[in-house]
Amino acid sequence: QPQRDANALAVSSIRLHQLLLVVAVLVPTLLLLAAAWWNRQEVMSTGEETVMRTAAIMEEHAHKVFDTVDLVLGRIDERIQGKSWEEISSPAMSAFLRGLDAPLEHTVSIWITDARGFVRAGSQPWDRNVSVAERDFFRAQQEADVGTYISAAFVGKATNTASFAVSRRRTSADGSFDGTIH
């Protein structure tokens, strides 16, 4: 009997040690998993807040940029109202466009095209034999007065820079399409 009691006690002691070992491993593991889950939730929440703030700032900046571009297009439109293509094609008009373009960091160039898509005045040097008639910002204005139009991205023919155009229709005295300002 004493031998049996000693064996039972040994088995009981082994089981107790096994249980303590399992608890010693399991409890810290569970605590570590809970802490990791909580930390992940905090990081995700902070990240979402940062993304939302950044998106709001970017949206506000984009609105300001497009408002500025719209004002510039309006100023050019007022400046060329009633002017002939000879007057628009003058070096003075290109100098005026360069002056408008210079302080605008977000603007690559400013152009005035005739009804065939040929640039007649610009803020940069250009090839006078190149037409933009196939560009979406030109075609959209040619088909109807769509107001301020924002094009798809493209590489500029004169600037060789990836960009997009914001255009406005130029309408002649009789109401027909007479080119674009972009």
Side-chain angles (χ1 to χ4, degrees), residues 21-34:
L21 183 62
V22 167
V23 169
V25 171
L26 194 58
V27 169
T29 301
L30 290 175
L31 288 174
L32 184 64
L33 286 173

Side-chain angles (χ1 to χ4, degrees), residues 5-113:
D5 287 344
N7 284 344
L9 186 60
V11 168
S12 177
S13 177
I14 290 173
R15 285 191 180 151
L16 179 62
H17 281 92
Q18 287 174 337
L19 179 64
L20 287 175
L21 183 62
V22 167
V23 169
V25 171
L26 194 58
V27 169
T29 301
L30 290 175
L31 288 174
L32 184 64
L33 286 173
W37 179 83
W38 180 81
N39 187 42
R40 180 185 183 283
Q41 293 301 104
E42 286 295 311
V43 167
M44 293 298 285
S45 178
T46 302
E48 282 181 30
E49 290 171 13
T50 301
V51 166
M52 295 303 286
R53 277 194 312 271
T54 303
I57 290 167
M58 290 174 64
E59 180 182 19
E60 182 179 336
H61 179 70
H63 281 294
K64 288 179 181 180
V65 167
F66 284 110
D67 287 346
T68 301
V69 168
D70 205 39
L71 287 170
V72 168
L73 292 175
R75 185 161 181 211
I76 296 167
D77 195 26
E78 288 173 6
R79 177 81 175 238
I80 64 175
Q81 283 293 333
K83 294 201 183 297
S84 68
W85 280 112
E86 185 175 290
E87 292 170 300
I88 292 171
S89 298
S90 72
M93 184 58 69
S94 289
F96 170 73
L97 296 178
R98 277 191 300 280
L100 283 177
D101 186 24
L104 302 175
E105 295 175 22
H106 55 272
T107 303
V108 176
S109 55
I110 303 172
W111 308 99
I112 302 171
T113 63

Side-chain angles (χ1 to χ4, degrees), residues 78-176:
E78 288 173 6
R79 177 81 175 238
I80 64 175
Q81 283 293 333
K83 294 201 183 297
S84 68
W85 280 112
E86 185 175 290
E87 292 170 300
I88 292 171
S89 298
S90 72
M93 184 58 69
S94 289
F96 170 73
L97 296 178
R98 277 191 300 280
L100 283 177
D101 186 24
L104 302 175
E105 295 175 22
H106 55 272
T107 303
V108 176
S109 55
I110 303 172
W111 308 99
I112 302 171
T113 63
D114 62 22
R116 297 176 301 143
F118 290 100
V119 175
R120 301 298 285 273
S123 62
Q124 300 185 11
W126 71 94
D127 180 351
R128 294 182 185 275
N129 298 316
V130 176
S131 171
V132 296
E134 80 286 352
R135 299 282 194 185
D136 66 331
F137 65 85
F138 184 86
R139 288 191 325 267
Q141 299 293 0
Q142 189 176 33
E143 294 167 8
D145 187 349
V146 294
T148 302
Y149 179 86
I150 301 169
S151 78
F154 62 87
V155 175
K157 292 181 179 187
T159 63
N160 206 27
T161 301
S163 60
F164 60 92
V166 180
S167 69
R168 187 178 281 184
R169 179 185 177 114
R170 183 165 192 266
T171 305
S172 64
D174 68 1
S176 62

